[in-house]
Each structure stands twice: as structure tokens, then as C-alpha cells.
Amino acid sequence: METRPYYQQADIQNTKKLREMLSALPSFCGTFFRGIEQETSSRTRIAYAYDLKVFFEFLIKENPVYREKTVQDITLRDLDQIKALDLEEYMEYLKYYSSGEQAEHINKERGISRKISTLKTFYNYFYKKEMLQNNPAALVSLPKLHSKAIIRLDIDEVARLLDQVENGDGLTERQKAFHKKTRVRDLALMTLLLGTGIRVSECVGLDIPDVDFRNDGIRIHRKGGKEVVVYFGEEVREALLDYMEERSRIIPVSGHEQALFLSLQSKRISVKSVENLVKKYAKLVTPLKKITPHKLRSTYGTSLYQETGDIYLVADVLGHSDVNTTRKHYAALDDQRRRSARNAVRLREKPEKDGPSV
């Protein structure tokens, strides 16, 4: 039976995954992950474990000093011998490498930056604990990140997207067969994402008791487990009410009784399934834009900022812990607003043109 909330279930699964990954890493890594547990999410720690595995495998494959070792054989003393030049060589390696399963991996500037940031956190932890004498990661600069254009839906694209979800006109015959069964659910789900800006993980984690129609709000758990209420408007309310009526007639699989959004198998819908349905509908509306659930979140944030001009409100509603994160994403809109203001103040009245002479 699923007796715990979804976010707790996810944390348990991530904890199991991390323990499995730790068994293939040097023993001292356990100390690191225990040390950062209070300030990181379980998903972040899994990402760190993956990045560290890539680094240790690089040492064994590319550095002759460690060639006779296994990943589990690497010690903190070994790490103390690493130089900044070794890490710069690692950055070059990250651009393209193959894993033991012969899978090819390509990293661009953001992927490289993330993996080097992991090493900086890792080295900094043991250096501060005086378990390492050297901190070569502190001497390495992160690659310069070029700003990327934020992909979002335009207002007319939002309307056409919801029309597609409701009508399914552009779907294939096979897709239309499924659409008949999922139309109400899909419309409620897409309207909720576009009308609140919640994360896809927060959406799939919703339980029926989390929806409050008295105050038009949903209770969600942000990153780190923080519980907040996000409010929705009339369009979201109507779509949710329609779905709740349909949902009341579905008998869920045991353990999924409280889940709000269900799959065709009557289980809690997965993040992957939501990503697929967003891709399916968005491709019909805007084939040149790669639209994901996160892009729907950006679309909502853009609309909210354009309507209010309040970056702090946008940061709060989207659940950004640092307003600079929000400001970075919507800086282009600030410039747009400044441009639109250039003719707002008139310094002198223009003289009226004389009429044609007679």
C-alpha cells in the first residue's frame, strides 16, 4: 500500500538508488554524501554520484598512475596528488568520451560546467574538513556559459495548444483512439501546468486531498520538501472540476488511490508520461520549438512577469530560492520593457503641420 505522500516515496527511491551507486564508489564518498545531506535534495545527490563516477573512471582510463586501480581502490591520498592541470585535462575529456558499455557521451559547456562544479563541491568539502591538503578544483575556472534564448509559447500558441488537447484534430487515427480516453485528463493537466507554473514533478505528485476548490489552491511540495499552496484561476478550476468528475469513476490500482492524475493503467501518472504528452501536443502547434513541461513553466513565468512587472512575485510563485535565478531568466523581458518605455515620455509637443496652401 502507498501510505506515504508521493514526494516521500520519491525520496525513498532516490535514497535506494544513491546507496546502489555508492557501492561502486570509493568508501570515503559516503562521508561526503552524509555531510551534504541537509543542504541538498536526493536528486541532486544522485547527480553528484554520477558525476563523481565519471571523474574516477577518467582517472583510471587516462592517468597512468591509477591505471592498475579500480574505482573503489581510489583513496583520499590519491586525490591529494591531483593537480589543476589534471582537472583541465578532465574538462577536455568530458567533451567526448565513451563509458564501459561503449555508450558515447558528449558534453557541451553546461554539462562540463555541472561536472566541474560537482568536483569543486567535493574537493571543498574534504579540504574544509582538513581531510585533504590540496584543493586543485579551486584553481580551475568553469567554462564560460553563453546565454541561451528562453524557449516559451506565445499567447496564440498557448490557445492553440489547449485547443489541440481539447479537440485532438491534428492527431493520428491511433492517437485519436487514446485521446478519447485521456482528453479530459490531458486538458486538466496541461491547463494546470500552464496556469500555475508548477514543476512536472510537483504535478504528478498531487493527491486528491491536495486540491482545495474552496480557496482555489493546490498544496505542493517544493524541492527540499517545503510545503506551499499555489493558487489557480477560473480556467484551471473548470478543467480540474471536469476531470475530478471523471476521476471519481475510475478505480485506481491498489496503492494509487489518492493520486490525482492517473495513467491508462489506473496508476499515478509518471513524469515521463507527462513529458511525452506535452511533446505530442506541442509538436502539432509549434514544430520548430522543442516544448517540454519546463517550457510551459517558463511560459507561465513570462506571462506573469509581463502582467505584473514584479520579479519578486514571479520568483515566489515559481519557487525560486534566489530571485537572481528568476532575474536571469527574464532579463530579456526587462530590456523589452525598457525599449517600450522610450517613447512614453514626451519632452515637447510636436507642432501641428500646416494644412495645404490654397
Side-chain angles (χ1 to χ4, degrees), residues 32 37 43-44 73 80 137 152 154 165 227 242 255 273 316:
F32 168 69
E37 184 171 355
R43 289 180 64 186
T44 296
D73 291 335
D80 240 342
R152 57 176 75 88
D154 298 328
V165 178
E227 184 179 289
D242 287 344
S273 294
D316 182 55

Side-chain angles (χ1 to χ4, degrees), residues 313-354:
L313 174 63
V314 176
D316 182 55
V317 172
L318 292 181
H320 291 165
S321 56
D322 184 354
V323 72
N324 288 321
T325 301
T326 319
R327 196 182 304 280
K328 178 180 67 177
H329 281 83
Y330 300 102
L333 294 180
D334 274 330
D335 184 63
Q336 181 180 321
R337 289 163 64 86
R338 285 193 293 272
R339 284 174 180 269
S340 66
R342 60 188 171 184
N343 294 320
V345 177
R346 179 167 293 182
L347 303 180
R348 292 189 297 170
E349 291 293 330
K350 290 184 177 180
E352 294 184 5
K353 292 183 178 180
D354 295 333

Side-chain angles (χ1 to χ4, degrees), residues 5 9 69 113 122 141 299 309:
Q9 290 281 341
K69 289 177 175 281
S113 181
F122 185 69
S141 299
T299 299

Side-chain angles (χ1 to χ4, degrees), residues 136-243:
L139 305 176
V140 176
S141 299
L142 293 174
K144 182 179 179 180
L145 299 180
H146 296 84
S147 58
K148 295 168 62 178
I150 298 177
I151 299 174
R152 57 176 75 88
L153 293 171
D154 298 328
I155 294 299
D156 65 310
E157 290 173 333
V158 170
R160 287 191 285 123
L161 176 63
L162 293 177
D163 285 344
Q164 275 292 344
V165 178
E166 189 165 18
N167 303 321
D169 293 337
L171 300 174
T172 65
E173 290 304 315
R174 184 173 184 275
Q175 288 174 329
K176 285 180 180 179
F178 287 103
H179 179 258
K180 291 179 181 178
K181 302 175 183 177
T182 66
R183 182 184 69 85
V184 177
R185 182 205 66 187
D186 291 354
L187 185 59
L189 200 155
M190 296 285 276
T191 305
L192 179 64
L193 290 173
L194 284 164
T196 61
I198 61 174
R199 297 177 176 88
V200 62
S201 58
E202 295 163 351
C203 179
V204 302
L206 284 170
D207 288 333
I208 292 174
D210 292 330
V211 184
D212 175 13
F213 287 109
R214 184 183 296 274
N215 297 296
D216 288 346
I218 51 172
R219 178 178 59 207
I220 62 173
H221 290 85
R222 296 288 195 196
K223 289 181 177 179
K226 181 182 177 183
E227 184 179 289
V228 299
V229 174
V230 174
Y231 298 97
F232 52 78
E234 186 61 32
E235 290 175 288
V236 176
R237 176 186 173 85
E238 290 178 3
L240 283 176
L241 283 171
D242 287 344
Y243 173 65

Side-chain angles (χ1 to χ4, degrees), residues 98-116:
S98 58
S99 63
E101 297 82 20
Q102 301 304 313
E104 295 182 330
H105 303 274
I106 298 174
N107 285 286
K108 296 187 178 179
E109 55 192 28
R110 293 181 187 277
I112 294 172
S113 181
R114 193 197 84 172
K115 288 176 173 58
I116 298 301

